Amino acid sequence: DIVMTQSPDSLAVSLGERATINCKSSQSVLYSSNNKNYLAWYQQKPGQPPKLLIYWASTRESGVPDRFTGSGSGTDFTLTISSLQAEDVALYYCQQYYSTPYTFGQGTKLEIK
Amino acid sequence: QVQLVESGGGVVQPGRSLRLSCAASGFTFSSYGMHWVRQAPGKGLEWVAVISYDGSNKYYADSVKGRFTISRDNSKNTLYLQMNSLRAEDTAVYYCAKVSWGRAVNGAFDIWGQGTMVTVSS
């Protein structure tokens, strides 16, 4: 199984500041035949289902604000929120969909400082 | 609009069975792979199972293999999860989710239902 490890577990950032969440996979999720990273980022707010933010490691889902950016390749990935807004307080998960079981990271809790 | 609505959750005794349903609307259900994902109270997300668009391919997490069965009825736009031999550790909110692209099973999950709670307790 591919193990997904996020860091940090929790993060407090001031409004308007940058937030950075890291995700590392235990093996590469880059599929060589199409050069795509099978990595997604989700946001989950209390009492709600997860919401897809980023797929293919760096493609923003329709309707997601452009302050959310995904980057990285192979085994190391980053979700960056360029200017934190109050509505960004949530749990964030990375997930690999390269191979079953489609594992998630443990989650990173993002709060306002 | 595109929507997934789960049902069938509840309180069940250990060792008993339960069947969850996920009703899809607003998209061509028969063209997409579908997943079940669960979340135990206060815990993270755990992928459970996936079924291909036509039902021909199914994959399971080791934690549920042999006990849970994923299926679909494309004529009814409905996804199912048959859960047998339930254990306390199966207690969770169960979400169905749609694969984001094509007829693949390995895609990001772009649409999620609101979830249905399953509690396994004597």
Side-chain angles (χ1 to χ4, degrees):
Chain A
D1 297 1
I2 299 177
V3 177
M4 307 300 290
T5 304
Q6 291 180 229
S7 62
D9 290 334
S10 63
L11 180 63
V13 174
S14 301
L15 289 172
E17 296 299 305
R18 179 188 300 260
T20 301
I21 300 170
N22 300 300
C23 175
K24 187 174 185 67
S25 57
S26 61
Q27 63 190 76
S28 176
V29 297
L30 174 62
Y31 194 38
S32 56
S33 67
N34 59 9
N35 202 38
K36 288 184 179 294
N37 288 283
Y38 283 54
L39 188 285
W41 289 96
Y42 300 87
Q43 176 194 66
Q44 187 179 32
K45 297 181 179 180
Q48 295 185 18
K51 173 188 174 183
L52 177 63
L53 298 176
I54 303 285
Y55 57 97
W56 301 133
S58 60
T59 302
R60 202 175 296 115
E61 174 71 337
S62 175
V64 173
D66 60 7
R67 63 180 181 272
F68 290 90
T69 300
S71 62
S73 185
T75 61
D76 291 279
F77 302 91
T78 300
L79 176 69
T80 302
I81 307 171
S82 60
S83 177
L84 190 71
Q85 305 299 302
E87 60 265 32
D88 301 334
V89 169
L91 273 164
Y92 292 84
Y93 294 93
C94 63
Q95 180 218 13
Q96 64 82 17
Y97 48 96
Y98 181 88
S99 64
T100 59
Y102 298 132
T103 42
F104 292 86
Q106 80 276 17
T108 294
K109 186 176 184 179
L110 179 57
E111 299 174 309
I112 304 294
K113 185 187 291 182
Chain B
Q1 73 278 24
V2 178
Q3 194 174 9
L4 297 171
V5 179
E6 301 94 338
S7 61
V11 180
V12 61
Q13 292 179 327
R16 303 298 290 264
S17 300
L18 207 59
R19 188 178 82 157
L20 306 183
S21 298
C22 169
S25 60
F27 66 99
T28 307
F29 179 72
S30 59
S31 294
Y32 293 90
M34 296 291 297
H35 294 260
W36 286 101
V37 177
R38 66 185 181 183
Q39 187 169 35
K43 302 297 185 182
L45 300 167
E46 180 187 15
W47 174 80
V48 173
V50 62
I51 187 168
S52 59
Y53 71 100
D54 60 355
S56 61
N57 293 296
K58 306 173 185 180
Y59 303 96
Y60 299 91
D62 285 346
S63 58
V64 307
K65 199 173 296 181
R67 299 187 301 123
F68 290 11
T69 301
I70 189 171
S71 63
R72 65 191 298 159
D73 185 336
N74 284 346
S75 68
K76 296 182 178 179
N77 291 341
T78 302
L79 174 73
Y80 302 101
L81 186 67
Q82 177 68 43
M83 304 185 295
N84 299 331
S85 304
L86 282 161
R87 306 166 180 168
E89 54 264 37
D90 296 318
T91 294
V93 174
Y94 284 74
Y95 298 101
C96 59
K98 168 187 166 291
V99 175
S100 60
W101 65 288
R103 294 182 168 181
V105 295
N106 56 340
F109 305 171
D110 65 341
I111 304 296
W112 296 65
Q114 288 296 312
T116 186
M117 182 71 203
V118 173
T119 303
V120 184
S121 173
S122 54

